[in-house]
């Protein structure tokens, strides 16, 4: 019955993600972030598709092809082909530069260093090498590189362990929000084990109905008050230890991202409508 918590649209009842704590769950991929629109192989065909999605470009390409027939157009076709090639080339260079800057930002984020705890040993690793199930140590004012369940904090008492996060990158709210560990006195340096059962990657930042069991102890329910989301910041807390549940584009933040848009000015839409009118009048 409890597995209905993890039902997702398009999936069968009982479908969920099982995370082994303090293990490298490689089947879920690493934490590499990708915000680029193109690759080296897809740049030319993808960019041409985007450019020819504008009616104006199709119209001028049609005119240029017609001018290749000397019986239809007596003028030299080079007079229209050179401007078209020039405009398409400039647009492609601009799109390529925008995507290059996105790639550089991804590289900085993917190579930012974080502390991982493995078998009681702390080691610095780049963000891209974080895997689901890893135990991560995040210090105050650091950005969370992935989605994690909090297990231990520097703000501990006899009955709870609490930390505070800033979520302005997610929801625009600057007020700090508390996050509470579902367990107390978690021995993260003693090679712990256990599992988390949670939903498959989804964009719902206010929903995290899951369960956790550590060292074969009783299962404990988890909610949004226990999760530390990617792109949020640790505040007013010296450090926190958490177990990774979602990485890369599978995080809540990643699931809410939209593909990089193609930049068109308002005048472009107006010119497209005028071009359609001119084409219709010429028929």
């Amino acid at each position: 019955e409890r597995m209905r918590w993890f039902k997702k649209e398009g999936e069968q009842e009982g479908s969920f993600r099982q995370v082994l704590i303090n293990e490298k769950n490689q089947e879920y991929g690493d934490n590499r972030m990708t915000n680029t629109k193109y690759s080296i192989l897809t740049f030319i065909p993808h960019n041409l598709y985007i450019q020819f999605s504008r009616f104006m470009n199709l119209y001028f390409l049609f005119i240029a092809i017609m001018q290749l027939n000397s019986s239809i157009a007596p003028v030299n076709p080079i007079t229209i082909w050179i401007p078209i090639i020039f405009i398409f080339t400039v647009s492609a260079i601009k799109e390529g530069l925008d995507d290059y800057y996105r790639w550089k930002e991804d590289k900085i984020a993917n190579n930012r260093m974080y502390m991982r705890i493995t078998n009681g040993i702390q080691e610095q690793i780049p963000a891209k090498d974080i895997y689901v199930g890893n135990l991560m140590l995040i210090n105050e004012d650091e950005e969370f590189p992935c989605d994690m369940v909090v297990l231990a904090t520097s703000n501990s008492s006899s009955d709870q362990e609490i930390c505070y996060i800033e979520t302005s990158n997610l929801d625009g709210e600057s007020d700090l929000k508390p996050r509470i560990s579902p367990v107390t006195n978690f021995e993260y340096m003693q090679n712990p084990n256990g599992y988390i059962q949670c939903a498959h990657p989804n964009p719902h930042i206010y929903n995290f109905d899951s369960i956790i069991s550590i060292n074969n102890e009783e299962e404990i329910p988890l909610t949004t008050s226990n999760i530390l989301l990617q792109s949020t910041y640790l505040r007013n807390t010296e450090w926190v230890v958490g177990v990774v549940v979602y990485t890369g584009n599978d995080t809540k933040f990643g699931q809410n991202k939209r593909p990089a848009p193609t930049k068109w000015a308002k005048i472009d839409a107006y010119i497209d409508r005028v071009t359609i009118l001119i084409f219709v009048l010429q028929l």
Side-chain angles (χ1 to χ4, degrees):
E1 284 292 316
R2 72 164 185 267
M3 298 322 298
R4 292 180 182 173
W5 296 349
F6 311 108
K7 187 177 179 184
K8 182 181 172 184
E9 185 178 353
E11 294 182 342
Q12 296 180 351
E13 187 115 4
S15 178
F16 62 95
R17 167 177 284 199
Q18 175 114 343
V19 176
L20 299 180
I21 298 173
N22 203 25
E23 297 284 345
K24 189 177 181 179
N25 297 254
Q26 290 182 296
E27 63 270 27
Y28 301 129
D30 59 23
N31 195 44
R32 197 180 305 269
M33 292 294 297
T34 304
N35 293 303
T36 53
K37 184 190 300 186
Y38 307 103
S39 68
I40 295 177
L41 294 178
T42 64
F43 177 74
I44 292 178
H46 192 182
N47 184 257
L48 286 176
Y49 171 78
I50 291 174
Q51 295 213 49
F52 285 119
S53 65
R54 298 184 59 197
F55 183 82
M56 180 183 67
N57 290 339
L58 284 174
Y59 173 77
F60 285 113
L61 178 66
F62 174 74
I63 297 298
I65 292 174
M66 294 289 290
Q67 288 199 354
L68 292 176
N69 189 334
S70 57
S71 62
I72 298 177
V75 298
N76 191 335
I78 199 171
T79 59
I80 189 170
W81 276 102
I82 287 181
I84 286 179
I85 292 174
F86 175 76
I87 292 172
F88 281 8
T89 300
V90 170
S91 297
I93 291 174
K94 181 178 178 298
E95 277 285 291
L97 286 174
D98 288 343
D99 215 48
Y100 172 72
Y101 294 138
R102 283 191 288 266
W103 174 82
K104 286 185 68 175
E105 291 176 357
D106 286 344
K107 185 177 180 181
I108 292 172
N110 288 330
N111 287 287
R112 190 172 292 130
M113 302 302 290
Y114 288 92
M115 187 71 71
R116 180 172 64 188
I117 302 173
T118 306
N119 299 325
I121 301 174
Q122 298 184 20
E123 58 177 340
Q124 288 275 350
I125 62 168
K128 64 183 179 181
D129 291 339
I130 298 173
Y131 283 85
V132 170
N134 286 164
L135 292 177
M136 301 300 300
L137 172 65
I138 306 299
N139 294 307
E140 185 174 6
D141 295 330
E142 279 190 326
E143 181 180 2
F144 290 101
C146 50
D147 291 351
M148 308 188 299
V149 171
V150 56
L151 295 177
T153 81
S154 58
N155 299 333
S156 61
S157 62
S158 58
D159 58 344
Q160 71 174 7
E161 301 199 14
I162 190 170
C163 66
Y164 298 92
I165 62 172
E166 179 189 329
T167 62
S168 56
N169 284 348
L170 280 180
D171 53 20
E173 297 181 8
S174 58
D175 293 341
L176 300 185
K177 297 179 175 62
R179 290 295 183 264
I180 303 170
S181 171
V183 297
T184 56
N185 301 317
F186 176 66
E187 299 292 342
Y188 54 89
M189 299 297 288
Q190 301 301 319
N191 197 23
N193 63 75
Y195 61 85
I196 294 175
Q197 290 176 350
C198 58
H200 287 287
N202 63 80
H204 308 303
I205 63 175
Y206 299 114
N207 184 20
F208 187 67
D209 294 329
S210 311
I211 55 175
I212 184 173
S213 174
I214 298 176
N215 296 331
N216 298 318
E217 294 182 1
E218 182 181 358
E219 292 178 344
I220 302 172
L222 299 174
T223 67
T224 52
S225 65
N226 308 121
I227 191 169
L228 308 166
L229 297 179
Q230 182 192 50
S231 83
T232 62
Y233 288 83
L234 183 65
R235 303 296 191 199
N236 295 350
T237 308
E238 186 178 345
W239 55 264
V240 66
V241 172
V243 57
V244 179
V245 289
Y246 301 117
T247 55
N249 292 325
D250 286 344
T251 64
K252 303 284 188 181
F253 181 78
Q255 291 286 300
N256 278 284
K257 288 190 304 185
R258 297 291 180 266
T262 300
K263 299 177 182 178
W264 300 120
K266 289 184 179 180
I267 190 66
D268 292 324
Y270 174 76
I271 293 175
D272 254 9
R273 291 194 295 269
V274 172
T275 305
I276 293 174
L277 177 62
I278 294 173
F279 179 73
V280 170
L281 295 175
Q282 288 181 330
L283 293 179

